[in-house]
Amino acid sequence: MSDGLSRRSFLKLAATASAAAAIPGCEPAARKLIPYVVPDEDVIPGVPTFYATTCAECSAGCGIVARVMEGRVIKLEGNPVDPISQGAICARGQAALQGLYNPDRMGKPNTRAVDGALTAVSWDDATKLLNEKLAAAAKAGRDRVAFIGLSQGPTLDKVTRAWAQALNSRSVGFWESFSDEPARAAAEACFGRRDLPIYKLDQAETIISFGADFVETWGSPVEYARQFALFRAPKTRNGNLSIGNAAYVGPRLNSTAAKCDEWVASNPGTEGAVAMAVLNVVVNQGWIASDAGVDVGALKTLVAEHDPDKVSAQTGVSADQIKKIAGWFGQAIGGAVALAGTADPQAHLAALILNAVTGNVGKTVIFLEETPAQATSRPDEVKAIIDAMRDGQVDVLVIAGGNPAYSMPPGYAFKEASNRVGYVIWMGEVPDESADLANLLIPTHHALESWRDTATRPGIYGLGQPVMQPVYPSRALHDILIASAHLGGASAQAIPYENAADAINTAWQELQSKVGGGTTPKKFWDDARRHGGVFQEGKPSGALKLNSAALKPQTEPPVTTGGLTLWAFPHIFLYDGRGANKSWLQEIPDPVTQIVWDSWAEMHPDTAAQLGLKQDYEQTRLFAGINVIEIATPGGPIELTVTISRLVKPGVIAVPFGQGHSSYGRYAKGIGVNPFSFLPEGTRSVSVTARKTDKTYKLVTPLGNSDMLGRTIIEAMTVSDLAKGVEPDYGEEKVDRPYEMYDPIAYTGHKWGMTIDVNSCTGCSACIAACYAENNVQVVGKDNVDLGRIMSWIRVERYIRPVDKPDDGPLIQIAPMLCQQCDHAPCEPVCPVFASSHTREGLNAQIYNRCIGTRFCENNCPYKVRRFNWYAPEFVEPLNYQLNPDVTVRGAGVMEKCTFCIQRITTAEINARTEDRKVLDGEIITACAQACPSRAISFGDLNDPNSAMVKRRNDNKGRTYTMLPEFNALPQVTYLRELYQAKGKA
């Protein structure tokens, strides 16, 4: 131990509770420990503190709670008191930690030379340069300063506008690549208001989604996944046991479509035409609510040209299928919801009219009073700023989020316009394509280091607060703006705040006078910080009448028929590209294609055959595609590898957004293509031609096979069979009872188990991201995934129904797979050193110090849930700051796997012993169960008949099963079968 661990240092290390996850071997880490000579009264070593804040990864505004250990945020969870998240969090929200600790964040301001080289400068020099440029532009005339960036919440957006006004400018644009303008325009046309409604999916009997992937990226996915799980839960409706009827209209089967009864495979861009055809059937069948108050004659005129038989040829959807889903919607006694999520205004208009004429506005589609102002700017407002830039009317442009150089359509010509600006200033975290255009680059705080607020809907006021000290020597964006305005001579009346924290505090003191009731300002502020905001029930608007102007026939959008159409869709994890610099999100497989670390061209077998391609690879190798095609688009040719799938409509090439970065850090740069660069404004599809090339490029996936090969890994049953008590017959030999070779283990205390409802699981993979964060699971990269070395402890299994199977049941089936904690664990008897051992609480433990890496256990596990460390894990600084000190970081040559978050179990048991009580049901929640938006995962004590997990099993006895029972492994994870409607009986 020459280089390092003296006896004194070892005792320091052993006595410090926060060092529970000591680095394997004799490392000099102990010398870096700082003793608490004068301890912080708010910090107890080894004991976490929790701070409520808001998530900034999308516009849904979920409340989250940060777990902080010794000043480091190590885990994010949903905020249980927040009405939106209700304690859950998506994969993107979990990965916010990787944005905070991203190794490619800029640490110092930089200036760009004429040759493009960057030079680091001091903060004093940077702020001096910033203020000089802004002051000169403000004096030069009106609107010579422009701002384009993401919305940062109502208070900080107000500060941004005040900053611009102080600099003699009104040019402020809040940019979002996937605009909600079509939805707002439809609301304005129908009801004369531009706010968006909230949806009560769980209170509906039928849902039709026209391109809205509401369990992936549309709207508020965490909230809608929870509602949809309740919607699909078996319950008595109209005297019969049933589940809600659901249909998804779109050219590709995504996670939302996978959970619906009907995937209505429409041609790209025709979702609006299908919606109008559904409306045609509803109107002509007289399924109009008596209190709808609409002009039926005008309605019939509106839909006259959208007869299902006529629309069928245009959309590629059969008239019978249109009539079927229209029947569901129009005859839904318990309410229905129509959603639209495309860029086509017609789809949004038709969806709102459908909701209105069937009497669902005010029931399942609710507009609220006092709706907050629109956060994003209208597209024409942003285009006006870019036009001014192009005309040389802007001297200084400030870019702060949104990455417009990457995400704006080519028709905007943003890069060319920025070259006409005198000086471009970029403010952000990881330099992206927009930063490449800047003369001055200034590092700003991450959302978890900043004050902010949100107002996503009436009654919900989210408060974001710094949960730790800045990781890098950056500054808060609005601190910089406020300081520059003050130095520029802005009056105290124009910007009466010292900094962003003061602005937030002032705004919330004003809010207290409106919604605080009888509380004092101090108590209101303290409670808001403690709870992460103020949460009240929004007041529904009164009865809304459909405007007659909305019933006038609209100009039909142009529709492409024949040939190939490229259709782009938001990546479930990378979204519009903002998540591409987070390695967790790159390595978690897409739930449908199971592809990692890449872009792809998804193509139907019939379309692929026309290009001379065939699928002859998936059964033998771990990759999802290898043949490269060249696609000729209006914006130029691109090359992509084809993945052949029946989950996309013939004639369509489906490509995800999110990749194709030329900057944005090591995890994003140089991967895939950027669909924004060749799509016209206002659409996500374009006509293309394609040809096969001689090139090959492997699409990597950890999935071995898409076919269950006759085994019952994921089971499903019809609702009618459930009502009759009939279990599905898979033609397998029934296992009457387990075969015991040894005496059964007596579990006299706890016996931990899990119940997973496959019917509720949407495949969102929040559980995977949560496990990465909680258990220090390493990211291995594309090449190692290709070698079968992915390290995730939990995965989402995805199987596609074989072509030769009857057209009944789900087309694809999805379920989480993790260690089953078997009572007869096949991994245990084959380990020569007893590293895999059984605990007296029913867990299959893995003792890392014993493991010698024979991998016998991995080979003997029928569920393939064990992971082997082929090399020592590497966590690039400062990503290592995120590591959970309660969990050992495994070394090379060691096997690892899920143990039901044993660190959480142990902590709860110690606390219970200390307080001389029993462990309470619900006191222990595994990371996967806590994160799950749809609440598909339940954890608890099998020896406690009153535990929620056991009750869930008992209440659903007709649906329970275990995976691969023929192996006699006796897994302690029980699954509940997926439910579906028998064909023709929905």
Side-chain angles (χ1 to χ4, degrees):
M1 299 196 302
S2 59
D3 96 338
L5 207 60
S6 66
R7 181 175 179 275
R8 178 173 294 178
S9 295
F10 176 78
L11 291 175
K12 283 183 184 178
L13 184 62
T16 306
S18 62
I23 300 173
C26 298
E27 300 285 348
R31 291 187 174 182
K32 297 180 182 180
L33 289 175
I34 301 174
Y36 285 94
V37 178
V38 182
D40 187 326
E41 62 182 15
D42 295 325
V43 176
I44 302 174
V47 178
T49 52
F50 299 87
Y51 297 93
T53 184
T54 58
C55 182
E57 296 302 303
C58 78
S59 59
C62 293
I64 56 175
V65 176
R67 190 202 317 169
V68 179
M69 296 278 273
E70 283 79 54
R72 299 179 296 113
V73 185
I74 62 170
K75 186 73 170 62
L76 299 176
E77 306 289 0
N79 186 347
V81 301
D82 170 47
I84 298 175
S85 68
Q86 292 191 15
I89 185 172
C90 68
R92 291 166 60 196
Q94 294 279 357
L97 290 175
Q98 290 205 308
L100 174 67
Y101 295 118
N102 196 298
D104 297 313
R105 282 182 66 183
M106 184 180 293
K108 295 180 179 179
N110 279 256
T111 58
R112 190 181 304 278
V114 177
D115 62 358
L118 292 177
T119 303
V121 296
S122 67
W123 269 103
D124 289 342
D125 290 343
T127 53
K128 180 181 178 182
L129 183 58
L130 168 71
N131 295 328
E132 287 176 352
K133 295 293 184 181
L134 290 174
K139 291 178 182 178
R142 185 76 163 164
D143 297 333
R144 306 299 296 187
V145 175
F147 176 96
I148 295 178
L150 286 175
S151 170
Q152 302 288 337
T155 299
L156 297 184
D157 287 354
K158 179 181 176 182
V159 170
T160 302
R161 291 191 174 94
W163 164 82
Q165 291 173 0
L167 296 171
N168 196 25
S169 178
R170 299 158 298 179
S171 299
V172 174
F174 296 114
W175 166 253
E176 274 286 350
S177 52
F178 298 130
S179 172
D180 58 12
E181 179 59 26
R184 292 185 181 275
E188 186 173 28
C190 289
F191 305 113
R193 51 192 297 169
R194 287 184 57 82
D195 57 319
L196 301 178
I198 63 171
Y199 298 95
K200 301 290 186 179
L201 306 185
D202 54 323
Q203 297 179 18
E205 186 177 301
T206 295
I207 296 173
I208 301 181
S209 171
F210 300 100
D213 55 337
F214 54 85
V215 303
E216 287 194 0
T217 61
W218 183 82
S220 183
V222 170
E223 180 181 21
Y224 294 149
R226 179 179 66 250
Q227 292 183 5
F228 189 72
L230 294 172
F231 164 81
R232 294 289 283 181
K235 64 181 71 172
T236 301
R237 296 178 175 90
N238 306 321
N240 298 310
L241 187 69
S242 66
I243 59 177
N245 298 320
Y248 177 86
V249 181
R252 175 182 179 265
L253 186 142
N254 53 23
S255 297
T256 303
K259 302 302 294 185
C260 292
D261 299 291
E262 290 281 334
W263 168 41
V264 182
S266 64
N267 293 328
T270 65
E271 294 90 346
V274 176
M276 292 298 290
V278 170
L279 181 61
N280 175 289
V281 176
V282 169
V283 171
N284 289 319
Q285 290 294 328
W287 294 324
I288 300 175
S290 58
D291 58 349
V294 296
D295 184 342
V296 178
L299 263 178
K300 290 186 175 181
T301 301
L302 173 67
V303 301
E305 296 299 315
H306 295 88
D307 179 82
D309 294 305
K310 182 177 180 181
V311 168
S312 178
Q314 172 193 350
T315 62
V317 179
S318 71
D320 288 342
Q321 198 170 24
I322 292 174
K323 293 173 183 177
K324 178 180 180 180
I325 64 175
W328 289 354
F329 198 90
Q331 300 178 82
I333 299 173
V337 178
L339 308 170
T342 73
D344 177 13
Q346 184 188 46
H348 294 269
L349 188 68
L352 271 184
I353 296 174
L354 265 171
N355 291 321
V357 301
T358 52
N360 289 298
V361 173
K363 296 178 182 178
T364 57
V365 181
I366 302 173
F367 286 87
L368 300 174
E369 292 186 357
E370 299 180 3
T371 299
Q374 180 176 342
T376 56
S377 302
R378 298 192 189 196
D380 55 351
E381 295 171 341
V382 176
K383 284 191 282 188
I385 296 174
I386 298 173
D387 290 340
M389 292 163 51
R390 188 179 300 107
D391 294 339
Q393 298 173 10
V394 175
D395 294 333
V396 176
L397 170 66
V398 176
I399 304 172
N403 197 2
Y406 169 88
S407 62
M408 284 187 174
Y412 283 26
F414 179 81
K415 293 181 181 179
E416 293 78 2
S418 66
N419 291 333
R420 302 291 304 276
V421 175
Y423 204 76
V424 179
I425 301 168
W426 175 87
M427 299 185 187
E429 299 155 32
V430 178
D432 52 24
E433 289 79 2
S434 298
D436 292 343
L437 307 176
N439 305 98
L440 175 63
L441 290 76
I442 298 178
T444 60
H445 286 350
H446 187 272
L448 295 173
E449 302 166 327
S450 309
W451 288 97
R452 58 195 303 275
D453 61 1
T454 61
T456 55
R457 67 184 61 161
I460 299 180
Y461 308 95
L463 177 62
Q465 61 180 321
V467 298
M468 68 174 290
Q469 293 295 316
V471 178
Y472 290 86
S474 55
R475 295 183 182 179
L477 168 63
H478 288 83
D479 286 359
I480 299 170
L481 298 185
I482 292 171
S484 67
H486 287 166
L487 289 172
S491 66
Q493 292 180 344
I495 303 185
Y497 318 117
E498 294 182 6
N499 50 38
D502 185 30
I504 295 293
N505 185 276
T506 301
W508 280 69
Q509 297 305 322
E510 295 173 359
L511 182 65
Q512 185 270 337
S513 64
K514 297 178 181 178
V515 303
T519 61
T520 64
K522 183 180 185 305
K523 186 176 188 306
F524 179 82
W525 177 244
D526 290 344
D527 287 347
R529 287 188 297 160
R530 184 176 298 111
H531 298 142
V534 174
F535 309 112
Q536 300 176 344
E537 192 71 30
K539 183 179 179 181
S541 298
L544 297 176
K545 184 178 180 181
L546 193 64
N547 291 339
S548 57
L551 303 182
K552 294 181 180 179
Q554 306 291 315
T555 302
E556 295 290 330
V559 177
T560 303
T561 55
L564 295 176
T565 303
L566 187 147
W567 180 77
F569 59 94
H571 193 290
I572 183 174
F573 306 128
L574 312 185
Y575 190 50
D576 62 353
R578 68 188 68 180
N581 67 337
K582 301 174 178 68
S583 56
W584 289 347
L585 301 184
Q586 290 278 13
E587 190 141 306
I588 298 175
D590 172 84
V592 176
T593 65
Q594 293 286 304
I595 294 171
V596 300
W597 288 100
D598 238 316
S599 294
W600 61 86
E602 203 167 344
M603 190 179 293
H604 191 274
D606 294 346
T607 310
Q610 294 174 8
L611 297 179
L613 304 173
K614 60 180 179 178
Q615 185 177 9
D616 57 359
Y617 44 80
E618 190 183 53
Q619 304 298 330
T620 55
R621 298 184 178 87
L622 289 174
F623 59 87
I626 196 166
N627 301 119
V628 175
I629 61 171
E630 182 183 86
I631 305 172
T633 77
I638 59 171
E639 291 186 347
L640 279 171
T641 300
V642 172
T643 180
I644 300 175
S645 169
R646 291 185 288 127
L647 308 180
V648 66
K649 188 172 180 61
V652 175
I653 303 175
V655 178
F657 287 105
Q659 304 281 22
H661 288 275
S662 58
S663 293
Y664 205 36
R666 71 193 71 185
Y667 302 118
K669 185 177 180 180
I671 299 175
V673 301
N674 174 20
F676 287 116
S677 64
F678 50 78
L679 286 177
E681 179 187 359
T683 182
R684 297 180 190 172
S685 60
V686 64
S687 294
V688 297
T689 59
R691 69 175 184 87
K692 180 183 176 182
T693 71
D694 295 331
K695 300 177 182 178
T696 58
Y697 176 84
K698 189 184 293 186
L699 292 176
V700 170
T701 172
L703 181 73
N705 204 305
S706 293
D707 187 350
M708 285 188 273
L709 301 176
R711 298 167 297 173
T712 56
I713 299 174
I714 304 176
E715 295 189 11
M717 66 188 303
T718 65
V719 186
S720 58
D721 281 348
L722 177 64
K724 298 172 186 175
V726 178
E727 292 196 6
D729 183 9
Y730 290 95
E732 296 180 337
E733 183 180 351
K734 297 294 183 182
V735 181
D736 295 330
R737 60 183 177 82
Y739 174 77
E740 299 287 354
M741 186 178 295
Y742 307 105
D743 292 336
I745 299 174
Y747 300 102
T748 55
H750 303 295
K751 185 180 184 184
W752 303 112
M754 185 175 281
T755 300
I756 299 177
D757 187 351
V758 178
N759 196 55
S760 296
C761 177
T762 65
C764 74
S765 303
C767 53
I768 302 177
C771 187
Y772 269 102
E774 174 72 21
N775 294 299
N776 304 335
V777 177
Q778 64 167 315
V779 171
V780 298
K782 177 181 176 179
D783 291 342
N784 277 297
V785 174
D786 187 28
L787 293 172
R789 297 176 180 178
I790 194 168
M791 297 301 295
S792 55
W793 290 4
I794 182 172
R795 66 182 184 268
V796 172
E797 297 272 72
R798 186 272 285 145
Y799 295 100
I800 302 175
R801 186 179 67 227
V803 179
D804 58 352
K805 288 291 180 70
D807 184 17
D808 195 22
L811 180 56
I812 72 171
Q813 292 177 266
I814 294 172
M817 174 67 82
L818 67 165
C819 177
Q820 304 289 292
Q821 312 297 339
C822 307
D823 260 7
H824 294 174
C827 56
E828 292 173 6
V830 296
C831 181
V833 293
F834 303 105
S836 180
S837 62
H838 214 75
T839 74
R840 287 302 178 262
E841 293 189 344
L843 297 180
N844 173 234
Q846 183 69 19
I847 303 173
Y848 301 129
N849 283 350
R850 291 181 183 172
C851 182
I852 59 173
T854 63
R855 294 183 284 145
F856 295 163
C857 55
E858 180 183 34
N859 192 52
N860 219 37
C861 174
Y863 306 102
K864 301 306 172 191
V865 289
R866 291 177 158 266
R867 306 301 191 192
F868 181 71
N869 283 273
W870 289 87
Y871 52 84
E874 295 181 7
F875 297 93
V876 181
E877 193 171 350
L879 284 174
N880 56 313
Y881 294 167
Q882 186 272 321
L883 295 177
N884 184 356
D886 291 337
V887 178
T888 302
V889 176
R890 285 72 62 187
V894 173
M895 188 66 68
E896 60 183 70
K897 68 169 194 71
C898 164
T899 52
F900 280 168
C901 292
I902 190 156
Q903 68 277 5
R904 295 190 176 196
I905 295 173
T906 302
T907 298
E909 290 178 340
I910 291 173
N911 290 339
R913 283 199 299 269
T914 302
E915 297 168 11
D916 193 23
R917 60 173 177 81
K918 293 182 178 181
V919 175
L920 303 176
D921 182 45
E923 186 175 0
I924 305 171
I925 307 176
T926 59
C928 56
Q930 188 168 6
C932 182
S934 62
R935 296 170 177 160
I937 304 174
S938 302
F939 176 79
D941 186 356
L942 288 167
N943 285 346
D944 178 6
N946 294 317
S947 73
M949 185 272 297
V950 173
K951 286 183 177 179
R952 191 175 195 178
R953 290 189 188 184
N954 293 336
D955 292 344
N956 293 276
K957 283 186 177 179
R959 295 169 55 206
T960 59
Y961 76 99
T962 57
M963 288 191 180
L964 305 177
E966 61 270 25
F967 285 101
N968 195 41
L970 300 188
Q972 299 311 297
V973 178
T974 292
Y975 290 84
L976 305 182
R977 294 184 182 95
E978 184 173 6
L979 296 173
Y980 64 94
Q981 312 271 16
K983 293 295 181 180
K985 296 183 180 181

